[in-house]
Amino acid sequence: TAYEIRNCDWSSDVCSSDLAVAWSWPLALAPHRSTVSLHFDQLPAAWLVHAAPSFMDGVSELSAWPDGEPLARLDSFLFLALSMVLHGLLPGLLVTNLFVLLGPVASAWGAEKFAREALGVSRLAGWIAGVSFGFAPLATVAALEGHCYYLLDPWMPLCALAVWQGRWKAATVHYALALLTTAYLGVDTLLVAGVILVHQRRWDLRMLAGLGGVSLLYAALFVAGTLAT
């Protein structure tokens, strides 16, 4: 409701945003033309923002000459979808740097939500849990290597929360988003969901069908795409 929005406590999100600016400093001064990456992988991601429409037929002729770059080789289909939406609107480097600046904040929010609603911790403890997840050492490695899409991972804690609360539809959606962000995050999310189910000893057939169905569908599409190249 409007009352809830007006009275929502944004202090933890503001603190996480400030931390993201400090964590990636001085990226926030010129995100459209600078980078904190020490590796070359951010540049292909920035290129993808411009080249995304060329993948519409399954193979981009703009890379991997002479055969082209097949769609199945992409790391993040969620990033590809976002690139298609933002194509021609924002520079590619700016889009990737927005992931660096905002991704950890979103991830921290998701982890804080899980800690407070599932574990019942205090506001401060929830914020600490959030930043510990959103700004974890692996997030630093992802930023330095240029794998910007790894930094956007509120899906794992949101999926974990949904599994904890027995909401199979929300769990399925958030697990699918984790898989589409990158298969590595998807596998990690599925493992976390499995640990929670074992811990609670609650075998909801709808939950198992949702998570299992997404896994099988993704695997089938990946194998089909790989065999087609």
Side-chain angles (χ1 to χ4, degrees):
T1 65
Y3 176 81
E4 291 172 335
I5 293 174
R6 287 196 303 269
N7 290 275
C8 181
D9 176 46
W10 299 101
S11 58
S12 59
D13 297 327
V14 172
C15 290
S16 297
S17 300
D18 292 341
L19 181 58
V21 172
W23 178 71
S24 60
W25 190 261
L27 182 64
L29 295 179
H32 62 291
R33 57 180 176 84
S34 62
T35 178
V36 295
S37 175
L38 300 179
H39 204 252
F40 62 84
D41 283 346
Q42 186 176 1
L43 298 180
W47 168 83
L48 182 59
V49 177
H50 301 284
S54 67
F55 284 92
M56 290 297 291
D57 62 351
V59 177
S60 173
E61 303 297 336
L62 301 179
S63 180
W65 185 88
D67 298 322
E69 187 73 34
L71 181 64
R73 289 184 184 174
L74 295 182
D75 287 341
S76 176
F77 296 104
L78 183 68
F79 186 79
L80 174 64
L82 183 62
S83 297
M84 289 184 175
V85 171
L86 297 178
H87 176 73
L89 299 177
L90 295 176
L93 191 59
L94 175 59
V95 173
T96 59
N97 283 331
L98 288 176
F99 270 75
V100 177
L101 289 167
L102 302 179
V105 179
S107 301
W109 170 80
E112 179 183 358
K113 185 175 178 66
F114 173 82
R116 295 188 63 179
E117 296 187 17
L119 306 180
V121 302
S122 66
R123 180 179 300 170
L124 177 59
W127 181 75
I128 292 174
V131 298
S132 298
F133 177 78
F135 298 89
L138 283 177
T140 303
V141 172
L144 293 177
E145 290 188 348
H147 299 143
C148 57
Y149 34 82
Y150 280 79
L151 298 170
L152 182 67
D153 187 24
W155 323 123
M156 180 191 293
L158 291 178
C159 178
L161 178 61
V163 173
W164 188 283
Q165 297 174 338
R167 296 182 291 114
W168 69 273
K169 291 182 180 179
T172 301
V173 170
H174 290 128
Y175 170 51
L177 289 170
L179 264 179
L180 293 174
T181 300
T182 163
Y184 297 107
L185 294 181
V187 171
D188 292 342
T189 300
L190 186 61
L191 290 174
V192 171
V195 169
I196 293 175
L197 289 174
V198 171
H199 170 71
Q200 294 185 335
R201 297 180 180 179
R202 185 180 66 229
W203 307 109
D204 187 338
L205 292 181
R206 295 176 301 175
M207 183 77 70
L208 296 176
L211 299 178
V214 169
S215 301
L216 292 175
L217 177 61
Y218 184 92
L221 292 174
F222 179 81
V223 170
T226 301
L227 294 177
T229 60

